[in-house]
Amino acid sequence: MKNTIILMLGTLSSRVLGLVRQMVINLFPVSIQDAFNVASKVPNLFRELLAEGALVNSFIPVYQGLPEAEQKKLANSFFGALIAINMVLVGLGIVFARPIVDFLVADGDNINTDLAVQITQLVMPFLMMMSFSAVSMGILSARENFKAYSYAQVAFNVASILVLLFAPRTALWLGLGWTFGGLVQFLVQSWPLFKAGMFPRPQLGWNPHIKVVLSRMAPFLLSTSARQFLNLIVTRFITAFSGGTISGYQNAEVIFQLALGLFAVSPATALYPRLARHWNDQDTAGFKALTVQGLRAVVFFAAPVSALLVALAPFAVSIFNLSLPDTPAEIQKYQAGALILGTWALAIVPWGMIQFMARTFFVRGRTLDSLLITSGGAFFEVGLYALLTRPEALGLSGFGISSFISGLVVLSVQLWLYRKQLGFPLKELGVFLVRVVPAAAIAGGLAWWLGSLLPHSGGILQGMVGLVLAGGVGGVVYLVLTFLLKVKELSSLVGRIRR
């Protein structure tokens, strides 16, 4: 629980600063925002493939199971290989920026493709910074040192905000500010390793343990590729809508990722080393108990946030607008963000649970199972997008509904397969969901009613008032209901706070 709280606090600080960073980005002209939101898809595509997600989840179990001397050799060899791969990818991204942007943009009239190409070339080095940071993160996480990881995310946002706030509001500085933030994140996260003499020295020689890491990474890369393919398709769908829509989508995504990162990824990351230890020690009972504990923690925190964001989506996206939207593009950005977030927030609970369940497969070496499930879910979601986001169907609301439906399907398959392989107390989890989810729904319904009495014209002041008043009341109601229902996660949280 201690590591979970550390990560949640660090993630909360980072995500709050991420909201501030997004506010600053929203000060740029909408045409530059739209171009940046297309360009940033390119390094973020490879970031998850070759940096944070694939590397950390594959590297930790192997690194943790080696003697200290072998750990250093593995880290050195892997770091050297990662540098070489990133140099090639960054170069290709810069050279082929034009065809990449043309592929991502469905309608060139809605996006300034020249600006998107320029920003793509500026942000490609960001990928290398994130890959270097991922090596440090993997080593620190294996030793259950999460403080530097949390601080590094904060440092990225602070550095980016300072550059973007005081630099000219042009495409050049938007791209440079993003990349500079990545450099600062790498330096801050790597400093504890430098001090301890543990930072890897890059080597290009082969290490036999790299094969084990790559064997774990390969299926993860394939499953992540399917999800990133989904992101590219989403970009094409979004750019088919009028100017400002993709920036509204990005605003909604920042809030969605704030909730998902804080209430799902943080517990999953904190519990991952313990999951690995239980499995390596062949403690199946402890492994299953920790799985249930992790899922309950995710649902307890994520359910009320999901309900409140569904109810207060217009207020939530308003916080990015330091002034009232007064142009067609600004109004479209605000309305699109509210529509997308209002349904997308439904997906926080299932996708939060999916994030945790995926790690229970990785740590057991069942990466092929995870590959098939997540890849199938990604293609299923693409099909839902094609059906539900058409103007004659649900339009922009179809993005969130598609994510929610696909999340339920993927989670159901994960739980079924886990139960088949190890056994799983579905009844215990089901009873918990029946108690907590309705409590969250009641809190969300009350918040929606209070919000309907408040003005919400798209400005930050109205947004903050709605979130504080209606959201605060909804949050209190949820805590009271879970107290009356004697949900043990609440008493555990209160106990930790008192300590």
Side-chain angles (χ1 to χ4, degrees):
M1 179 66 77
K2 178 181 177 182
N3 285 334
T4 299
I5 292 175
I6 288 174
L7 273 170
M8 288 179 67
L9 291 175
T11 303
L12 175 61
S13 301
S14 173
R15 299 293 183 174
V16 169
L17 286 170
L19 293 178
V20 176
R21 186 194 68 229
Q22 191 66 17
M23 291 178 190
V24 176
I25 291 176
N26 273 262
L27 293 174
F28 284 70
V30 175
S31 60
I32 295 179
Q33 293 179 50
D34 285 351
F36 172 76
N37 289 322
V38 170
S40 61
K41 299 294 182 183
V42 183
N44 281 333
L45 163 66
F46 294 106
R47 172 185 179 178
E48 189 169 357
L49 289 173
L50 297 178
E52 297 173 351
L55 188 148
V56 172
N57 288 296
S58 306
F59 183 81
I60 289 177
V62 179
Y63 180 89
Q64 194 176 48
L66 296 175
E68 186 172 346
E70 292 299 316
Q71 287 179 343
K72 291 182 178 180
K73 292 180 181 179
L74 172 61
N76 292 344
S77 299
F78 199 78
F79 191 36
L82 204 60
I83 290 175
I85 293 171
N86 274 273
M87 290 181 67
V88 173
L89 289 176
V90 170
L92 291 175
I94 292 174
V95 172
F96 294 103
R98 173 68 64 178
I100 291 172
V101 169
D102 289 341
F103 172 78
L104 289 173
V105 176
D107 189 343
D109 294 333
N110 293 332
I111 304 293
N112 187 324
T113 54
D114 291 334
L115 284 179
V117 169
Q118 179 188 0
I119 298 175
T120 298
Q121 294 170 332
L122 291 169
V123 299
M124 280 306 300
F126 173 80
L127 169 64
M128 186 171 291
M129 297 300 102
M130 290 300 98
S131 295
F132 295 169
S133 294
V135 175
S136 300
M137 177 186 173
I139 297 174
L140 293 170
S141 297
R143 298 172 180 271
E144 298 194 43
N145 182 344
F146 298 104
K147 291 183 179 179
Y149 166 62
S150 300
Y151 296 154
Q153 297 178 79
V154 173
F156 165 74
N157 285 312
V158 170
S160 299
I161 289 169
L162 290 176
V163 173
L164 299 179
L165 189 60
F166 297 105
R169 287 169 189 158
T170 64
L172 171 66
W173 283 103
L174 184 52
L176 289 177
W178 193 260
T179 300
F180 177 71
L183 173 62
V184 172
Q185 176 173 338
F186 162 62
L187 295 176
V188 170
Q189 189 159 286
S190 303
W191 179 244
L193 297 179
F194 279 115
K195 286 177 61 179
M198 296 172 52
F199 189 81
R201 299 177 180 179
Q203 297 176 356
L204 292 179
W206 177 254
N207 183 293
H209 300 294
I210 289 182
K211 181 179 179 180
V212 182
V213 177
L214 293 178
S215 68
R216 290 175 177 260
M217 283 186 68
F220 187 86
L221 291 175
L222 291 173
S223 63
T224 304
S225 298
R227 189 166 60 253
Q228 292 300 333
F229 167 74
L230 169 65
N231 289 337
L232 298 182
I233 296 299
V234 169
T235 302
R236 286 191 62 87
F237 279 128
I238 286 288
T239 54
F241 290 86
S242 58
T245 301
I246 191 170
S247 291
Y249 178 91
Q250 182 63 30
N251 287 342
E253 183 176 26
V254 167
I255 297 173
F256 179 84
Q257 292 299 336
L258 164 64
L260 197 63
L262 180 60
F263 302 114
V265 177
S266 291
T269 303
L271 293 176
Y272 189 62
R274 289 175 57 192
L275 283 169
R277 190 177 303 113
H278 279 301
W279 190 252
N280 291 334
D281 292 343
Q282 298 183 340
D283 181 10
T284 305
F287 183 86
K288 291 193 292 184
L290 189 59
T291 299
V292 176
Q293 176 188 335
L295 289 174
R296 286 174 61 114
V298 168
V299 174
F300 175 77
F301 289 112
V305 173
S306 172
L308 292 175
L309 286 179
V310 169
L312 304 175
F315 295 100
V317 297
S318 294
I319 65 175
F320 296 114
N321 299 324
L322 298 180
S323 60
L324 295 178
D326 57 1
T327 67
E330 290 285 348
I331 294 172
Q332 173 64 16
K333 181 178 69 173
Y334 164 65
Q335 293 176 342
L339 279 172
I340 294 169
L341 180 62
T343 51
W344 204 357
L346 291 169
I348 292 174
V349 172
W351 280 104
M353 297 175 72
I354 288 168
Q355 291 278 346
F356 184 83
M357 285 298 299
R359 285 159 171 80
T360 68
F361 285 90
F362 297 150
V363 80
R364 292 184 291 128
R366 310 289 300 200
T367 48
L368 181 60
D369 295 336
S370 181
L371 160 66
L372 295 176
I373 295 170
T374 55
S375 298
F379 286 106
F380 176 63
E381 192 166 350
V382 169
L384 290 176
Y385 281 138
L387 291 173
L388 301 181
T389 62
R390 295 175 299 171
E392 63 271 21
L394 298 178
L396 292 175
S397 297
F399 289 103
I401 297 297
S402 298
S403 294
F404 176 64
I405 294 174
S406 65
L408 291 178
V409 172
V410 171
L411 178 62
S412 298
V413 175
Q414 283 181 326
L415 292 173
W416 172 81
L417 190 58
Y418 185 105
R419 186 183 189 188
K420 182 179 179 181
Q421 294 168 349
L422 297 178
F424 189 86
L426 285 177
K427 182 178 179 180
E428 177 186 343
L429 181 62
V431 170
F432 179 77
L433 290 173
V434 168
R435 297 166 69 194
V436 171
V437 172
I442 292 171
L446 179 59
W448 175 84
W449 176 74
L450 291 174
S452 67
L453 304 178
L454 301 172
H456 48 86
S457 55
I460 184 173
L461 181 59
Q462 295 92 337
M464 293 299 296
V465 169
L467 291 177
V468 171
L469 293 181
V473 171
V476 170
V477 168
Y478 175 75
L479 293 177
V480 170
L481 290 175
T482 52
F483 173 78
L484 295 175
L485 293 170
K486 298 181 180 180
V487 176
K488 68 179 183 180
E489 278 72 16
L490 177 61
S491 58
S492 176
L493 176 63
V494 172
R496 291 290 177 177
I497 292 174
R498 287 178 176 176
R499 293 179 190 176

